[in-house]
Amino acid sequence: MDIKVIAFDADDTLWVNEPYFRETETLFCQLLEDFMPLHSAERELLQTEIKNLPLYGYGIKGFTLSMVETALTISEGNIRASAIARILELGKELLARPIELLEGVEEVVASLKERYRLVVATKGDLLDQERKMKNSGVIHHFHHIEIMSDKGVSDYAKLVRHLDIAPEQFLMIGNSLKSDVLPVLELGGHAIHVPYHTTWAHEVVDHDIEHPNFRAVSTIRDILPLL
């Protein structure tokens, strides 16, 4: 591999993210137990989130708006104002969560930056992702931060052009097969999947990937022997 740039996903690759969303989702669904069972409310929220992605994009703010909309829909407009206020509070609490680096991240990026240009390629809300990067303690290891509205083939192509490299010189590392692996392989780049124990349902891929530019590892530390 003639790799020049290594890009890392941020949420659930560099630091904890999805478990915080799931905890908030559970608290939200408990607010609506008078109107709908927990599992049904979870399904309704997911459907609302996916429907709203073209409007709000990814991130906590869009998630919070989707919680409010779901609450109004499930309750047929009868939910109390105090419950709506609690939902907004849940969103703010999610934004205020501390950054918890995943095990091995610090040593891996510190080692790789000696040999490659390192990039963070993440999607989500601009302000929130900038806050996370600032508070992560690892931002100084990275040559460039790219906060993307989505992670499709065209989005990665734009990033590769900005980095002034060929697709085959680009390696993406992340926990999402859908966002971090498949579009990069289609572009002609390389990808390494580092699984995380919790994955948002919208990011799940239910088929095996066989591609010469694809590798899967168990932990982020396993990347170093590959390179």
Side-chain angles (χ1 to χ4, degrees), residues 34-200:
D34 289 343
F35 301 100
M36 182 176 283
L38 197 75
H39 66 279
S40 298
E42 289 176 351
R43 185 170 60 249
E44 287 290 329
L45 176 57
L46 176 62
Q47 291 173 352
T48 303
E49 285 182 86
I50 294 172
K51 180 191 71 174
N52 286 336
L53 281 176
L55 289 172
Y56 304 145
Y58 297 86
I60 295 173
K61 294 173 186 175
F63 176 64
T64 303
L65 288 171
S66 292
M67 285 195 292
V68 171
E69 180 180 341
T70 303
L72 291 169
T73 300
I74 288 176
S75 69
E76 297 181 343
N78 293 315
I79 193 165
R80 299 184 306 276
S82 59
I84 296 295
R86 175 56 181 152
I87 292 170
L88 294 175
E89 185 180 333
L90 288 174
K92 291 179 180 178
E93 290 173 355
L94 197 52
L95 285 166
R97 287 276 197 164
I99 302 304
E100 180 184 348
L101 284 183
L102 293 173
E103 187 176 353
V105 165
E106 178 76 47
E107 66 183 82
V108 169
V109 296
S111 174
L112 293 177
K113 80 168 185 177
E114 303 300 327
R115 293 175 287 152
Y116 305 93
R117 277 192 290 163
L118 300 188
V119 168
V120 174
T122 183
K123 62 185 179 184
D125 178 76
L126 178 62
L127 288 176
D128 186 37
Q129 294 300 81
E130 286 180 339
R131 175 191 63 84
K132 289 178 181 178
M133 286 303 309
K134 180 180 178 181
N135 294 337
S136 69
V138 295
I139 191 171
H140 60 284
H141 293 302
F142 293 94
H143 167 80
H144 176 70
I145 310 297
E146 187 79 8
I147 299 173
M148 310 156 79
S149 58
D150 204 354
K151 283 183 169 179
V153 177
S154 62
D155 302 290
Y156 282 108
K158 180 180 176 182
L159 173 59
V160 166
R161 286 195 301 271
H162 175 77
L163 295 168
D164 195 25
I165 57 171
E168 59 268 23
Q169 296 173 318
F170 180 78
L171 168 64
M172 182 68 194
I173 297 171
N175 70 293
S176 171
L177 292 170
K178 181 178 180 180
S179 293
D180 302 321
V181 172
L182 292 176
V184 174
L185 296 179
E186 185 176 342
L187 182 64
H190 299 262
I192 297 177
H193 181 229
V194 185
Y196 191 62
H197 63 81
T198 303
T199 302
W200 186 31

Side-chain angles (χ1 to χ4, degrees), residues 15 30 33 88 113 146 178 199 205 210 221 224:
W15 51 67
Q30 288 171 350
E33 283 186 307
L88 294 175
K113 80 168 185 177
E146 187 79 8
K178 181 178 180 180
T199 302
V205 171
E210 294 185 8
R221 286 194 177 101
L224 295 179

Side-chain angles (χ1 to χ4, degrees), residues 8-24:
F8 286 84
D9 174 50
D11 295 334
D12 300 317
T13 299
L14 297 179
W15 51 67
V16 176
N17 180 67
E18 188 62 21
Y20 296 157
F21 275 84
R22 299 289 70 82
E23 291 170 14
T24 301

